[in-house]
Amino acid sequence: MASLTVPPAPPNPRQDAIDLHKAFKGFGCDSTAVINILTHRDSVQCGYIQQEYRAMYHEELSQRISSELSGNHKKAMLLWILDPAGRDATVLREALSGDTMDLRAATEIICSRTPSQLQIMKQTYLARFGTYLEHDIGHHTSGDHQKILLAYVGIPRYEGPEVDPTIVTYDAKDLYKAGEKRLGTDEKTFIRIFTERSWAHIASVSSAYHHMYDRKLEKVIKSETSGNFAFALLTILRCAESPAKYFAKLLRKSMKGLGTDDKTLIRVVVTRTEIDMQYIKAEYFKKYKKPLAEAINSETSGNYRTFLLSLVGHGH
């Protein structure tokens, strides 16, 4: 469930474009007006607004935002006006580029998305950046981490809720043999099961494993694997069990302790607002006894804070 709130009768995109242009004109930018318009439009509406803006003012809305806004507010807004696949592709491209390399962010985006989201995102990546996502993964990652990412973006998986209990049992046994039962780890088996099976199936394997061997699969992954490879396996497992819980935890980590990890905060809020932010908010409140909006409110400031809170919405 999305947390985005859109007016019941959405305004005409041309009118929005005119109002945005007005907000940018003159001395200083009327940031509140810009936030009020764009954070209450979905990605399709944002697309229409950008077309109208381009047609009327012969410049890209994104360029205007770039020159008028700054810092985290600008970063978040530029990501928000893209469509969902465009947002993911942009985050990935940045995470797989020299100066801004962030293999954890790349792994999170890939391993927390559904096969159909990954399909569209791969096409968008190629169209936007003129290179295959697989090429960039191959170039910047290595070993088992590279193998699991390439398999995860390459294999079409079933997305429905049905699972075959017989195969679930076999997979649990195979993972046991590949990890706890032997000296060393047979990573190939972990890669095969985690990239070929549906989320519903992996969630069932996880509970079957616990039942059969009295040990949590998450603990096994942590003791048998390490680094980015372990992070990929854990992301797949946690999203198979509950994406909302996974993202609630990620948001908590981004705001805990000294300083805020704004990159993660922006990435999660902007990419989940139109998908499952209501569920994430509920999980956040359940686990941390504090509304997500309250946490964001105390960790951020200014227009950046207003922007994030407009997307997340109040309440829990």
Side-chain angles (χ1 to χ4, degrees):
M1 242 176 81
S3 62
L4 180 71
T5 52
V6 175
N12 174 332
R14 168 162 286 201
Q15 191 54 51
D16 279 342
I18 292 168
D19 292 341
L20 283 167
H21 190 251
K22 261 190 223 148
F24 292 136
K25 256 177 35 190
F27 187 68
C29 162
D30 180 356
S31 291
T32 314
V34 176
I35 290 170
N36 283 342
I37 295 168
L38 292 175
T39 60
H40 297 295
R41 304 291 183 267
D42 64 28
S43 55
V44 175
Q45 291 165 338
C46 281
Y48 289 141
I49 294 168
Q50 288 175 84
Q51 284 172 9
E52 291 289 351
Y53 196 92
R54 191 181 305 126
M56 286 194 291
Y57 305 112
H58 309 296
E59 71 167 345
E60 294 295 332
L61 178 61
S62 58
Q63 280 172 330
R64 198 61 202 252
I65 287 171
S66 249
S67 60
E68 296 286 348
L69 309 182
S70 62
N72 288 320
H73 180 209
K74 170 165 108 177
K75 282 180 197 148
M77 187 66 94
L78 287 174
L79 197 58
W80 171 250
I81 62 171
L82 302 172
D83 63 309
R87 291 170 195 150
D88 283 351
T90 302
V91 170
L92 266 178
R93 176 69 170 176
E94 196 175 290
L96 295 171
S97 300
D99 340 331
T100 48
M101 183 85 76
D102 183 348
L103 294 182
R104 283 214 147 197
T107 305
E108 170 211 308
I109 288 277
I110 290 167
C111 297
S112 65
R113 299 310 193 246
T114 64
S116 39
Q117 286 169 333
L118 287 170
Q119 276 314 105
I120 303 167
M121 186 234 286
K122 283 197 298 187
Q123 293 161 4
T124 306
Y125 196 94
L126 178 61
R128 272 189 165 247
F129 307 115
T131 175
Y132 287 96
L133 172 60
E134 293 86 341
H135 171 269
D136 283 354
I137 292 170
H139 193 65
H140 294 291
T141 60
S142 59
D144 292 316
H145 180 228
Q146 182 186 91
K147 283 179 195 148
I148 195 167
L149 291 185
L150 289 175
Y152 209 72
V153 298
I155 297 170
R157 282 170 298 282
Y158 174 63
E159 292 186 41
E162 293 85 6
V163 295
D164 180 335
T166 317
I167 302 175
V168 167
T169 309
Y170 277 130
D171 283 350
K173 279 181 185 163
D174 281 351
L175 288 172
Y176 180 68
K177 282 185 219 151
E180 287 192 277
K181 196 180 175 201
R182 53 171 286 169
L183 210 71
T185 311
D186 164 19
E187 290 86 1
K188 266 204 191 82
T189 299
F190 277 85
I191 294 171
R192 176 178 60 80
I193 292 169
F194 275 70
T195 59
E196 291 180 7
R197 307 290 191 240
S198 72
W199 276 356
H201 183 94
I202 289 170
S204 298
V205 170
S206 177
S207 66
Y209 195 99
H210 196 198
H211 183 72
M212 288 157 70
Y213 304 109
D214 200 28
R215 189 137 187 251
K216 285 196 158 173
L217 191 50
E218 182 160 330
K219 285 227 163 75
V220 175
I221 292 170
K222 284 178 178 170
S223 64
E224 292 290 331
T225 61
S226 63
N228 288 324
F229 179 51
F231 183 68
L233 291 168
L234 289 170
T235 302
I236 295 167
L237 176 60
R238 287 168 183 161
C239 288
E241 293 179 329
S242 165
K245 250 187 206 158
Y246 173 76
F247 286 111
K249 199 172 174 181
L250 214 54
L251 285 167
R252 170 73 171 178
K253 271 173 102 171
S254 75
M255 294 185 280
K256 232 178 89 180
L258 226 74
T260 305
D261 173 3
D262 290 296
K263 247 182 152 166
T264 300
L265 183 56
I266 292 170
R267 184 173 68 245
V268 176
V269 169
V270 170
T271 61
R272 304 314 289 188
T273 286
E274 283 187 272
I275 299 174
D276 54 0
M277 187 50 81
Q278 291 296 44
Y279 298 128
I280 294 170
K281 279 157 66 175
E283 286 295 345
Y284 194 96
F285 188 73
K286 198 163 108 190
K287 197 163 164 54
Y288 307 112
K289 310 286 174 269
K290 175 183 190 175
L292 175 61
E294 200 180 293
I296 291 173
N297 189 50
S298 60
E299 289 295 325
T300 57
S301 61
N303 292 320
Y304 172 48
R305 173 202 280 165
T306 311
F307 173 81
L308 292 179
L309 291 176
S310 300
L311 290 184
V312 166
H314 294 282
H316 46 263

